[in-house]
Amino acid sequence: LSLHDALPISEIKPAEGRHDMLGQIAKYTLYFRMLLHIKHFKSVQPVTICNSYDKHTLTELKRMSVVTLKYSVNRGRIMVGAV
């Protein structure tokens, strides 16, 4: 399944992604997966974007099949890549 086939559910943090992100992305994902039952969306793919992640949060997000992205700013350009 690619992100083009799914509704991306995003949680964006300006700094480090910490444990509070786990509950938030889980709630968003559950809500939109419930909408799948009434045929609004084909599938749901949770995505997080942070400057960094603590080890516990990153491990749990990966366990939850969340796409984890990390951003950085270099010479005024925002760079985003997979973690």
Side-chain angles (χ1 to χ4, degrees):
L1 181 68
S2 73
L3 286 178
H4 298 289
D5 299 327
L7 173 71
I9 306 301
S10 302
E11 174 76 6
I12 301 172
K13 298 285 186 183
E16 183 177 54
R18 302 185 133 254
H19 66 88
D20 61 323
M21 178 180 286
L22 298 172
Q24 286 300 109
I25 199 71
K27 282 191 281 186
Y28 300 156
T29 303
L30 176 62
Y31 173 76
F32 284 102
R33 283 191 175 144
M34 289 173 64
L35 289 180
L36 289 175
H37 293 290
I38 54 175
K39 308 295 186 212
H40 277 75
F41 305 104
K42 220 178 209 183
S43 62
V44 174
Q45 176 60 62
V47 178
T48 59
I49 304 171
C50 299
N51 181 264
S52 62
Y53 295 86
D54 67 39
K55 185 178 178 179
H56 169 73
T57 301
L58 184 58
T59 299
E60 289 300 308
L61 290 170
K62 297 232 182 238
R63 186 185 61 77
M64 296 164 58
S65 299
V66 174
V67 174
T68 52
L69 302 174
K70 181 179 175 182
Y71 80 90
S72 60
V73 179
N74 186 1
R75 298 181 193 174
R77 297 182 72 191
I78 298 172
M79 311 295 281
V80 178
V83 177

